[in-house]
Amino acid sequence: MRKPLASDEPAQDRLVTLVKGLDVILGGGLVRGTAYVVQGPPGSGKTTLANQIAFNLARSGEKSIYLSLLAESHDRMLNHMSQMVFFDRTAVPDEITYISGFATLIVEKFPGLIRLIHQEVRRHNASFLVLDGLFVAQDAASDRQEFRVFVHELQGMAAALRCTFLVLTNQNASTSPEHTMVDGWIELLDEMRGVRSTRTIIVKKQRGAEHLRGRHNFKITNQGIAIFPRLEA
């Protein structure tokens, strides 16, 4: 049996995801009021993980916002998610609200996007927000300093609103500064080993709470993502 972590006790400070194995490696769930970067290449499972958490939270009475910075609409993503067991169309839009922030970013730049996020979290009383496509924001920044200020404001807003932010990006740590600035950093990997494809997840950082270090295998099925914490952990 796993030895309880010191951070397991204050359950009121955790957002329990109910994703198999994820709360275990996080030491009890996502820390409320913090910002996490979820990094991984296309197809690694970032979108599935974010939606799975949102739909699980909806069944627990928590409200979520999924804000995309990608140019395409949400229709294709929702059509794919509808094949997952966790998908519940009745949760949209009352418990889970899907919003596009692409036009706001292009027209009103970062101040407009910050206002949009703050307004929607307050309006929906959301406890969980997904920001999909952080690399789009990085490309839109006039320089690295402007992007750093934006990431800093995201982190401050998560704390002020007591809303947990999950920020999805394709960028790696060597080319983007947000990994060192946010409270948490989760990496999803999909690697070829010989003729086999292996999916692993690593919690690289989680401020203010313990977590299980190292690589943990996971799989994606029509049930969603299931993580298998290392036995030695």
Side-chain angles (χ1 to χ4, degrees):
M1 180 178 294
R2 180 178 68 92
K3 180 181 179 180
L5 299 174
S7 55
D8 284 348
E9 295 184 5
Q12 71 276 10
D13 293 327
R14 295 303 185 100
L15 199 63
V16 179
T17 70
L18 297 179
V19 174
K20 181 179 178 181
L22 180 59
D23 297 314
V24 173
I25 67 173
L26 289 171
L30 297 166
V31 179
R32 286 186 183 268
T34 59
Y36 289 77
V37 162
V38 177
Q39 168 202 337
S44 60
K46 301 185 300 296
T47 301
T48 299
L49 179 64
N51 276 279
Q52 187 174 351
I53 294 173
F55 279 98
N56 287 350
L57 291 175
R59 285 189 286 274
S60 302
E62 306 265 9
K63 294 192 174 183
S64 303
I65 294 171
Y66 195 109
L67 195 153
S68 175
L69 298 181
L70 306 178
E72 61 264 22
S73 70
H74 292 107
D75 293 345
R76 182 179 299 179
M77 179 184 68
L78 287 176
N79 284 338
H80 175 66
M81 289 300 123
S82 67
Q83 303 172 34
M84 299 291 185
V85 171
F86 61 75
F87 183 81
D88 179 7
R89 190 167 294 278
T90 64
V92 183
D94 292 335
E95 280 74 39
I96 307 174
T97 304
Y98 289 86
I99 302 169
S100 174
F102 180 76
T104 300
L105 176 63
I106 297 302
V107 176
E108 302 179 39
K109 309 302 181 183
F110 289 112
L113 185 58
I114 287 291
R115 284 194 299 271
L116 175 65
I117 294 172
H118 187 275
Q119 168 188 308
E120 294 300 323
V121 171
R122 290 287 300 274
R123 185 159 71 96
H124 295 281
N125 192 28
S127 55
F128 181 64
L129 177 135
V130 179
L131 181 63
D132 190 357
L134 188 64
F135 62 92
V136 177
Q138 185 173 19
D139 291 343
S142 58
D143 54 39
R144 178 160 290 194
Q145 180 61 26
E146 184 182 29
F147 182 67
R148 284 180 178 272
V149 170
F150 171 66
V151 174
H152 178 72
E153 290 182 342
L154 279 180
Q155 181 174 311
M157 186 162 41
L161 297 174
R162 293 290 292 169
C163 181
T164 301
F165 288 8
L166 207 65
V167 184
L168 313 185
T169 184
N170 297 336
Q171 301 284 8
N172 60 47
S174 62
T175 60
S176 194
E178 71 271 13
H179 303 79
T180 61
M181 299 174 64
V182 294
D183 303 295
W185 172 14
I186 300 171
E187 184 174 17
L188 302 182
L189 299 168
D190 186 5
E191 302 169 302
M192 290 299 298
R193 297 180 180 177
V195 296
R196 294 182 57 192
S197 176
T198 303
R199 295 184 185 271
T200 55
I201 182 171
I202 308 171
V203 180
K204 293 204 166 183
K205 180 173 70 172
Q206 185 173 233
R207 286 186 186 139
E210 297 181 50
H211 61 274
L212 296 182
R213 298 166 59 94
R215 292 182 178 226
H216 309 276
N217 291 331
F218 75 93
K219 67 179 181 179
I220 304 176
T221 68
N222 69 335
Q223 302 286 325
I225 285 179
I227 301 168
F228 306 97
R230 290 172 23 250
L231 291 178
E232 58 268 35

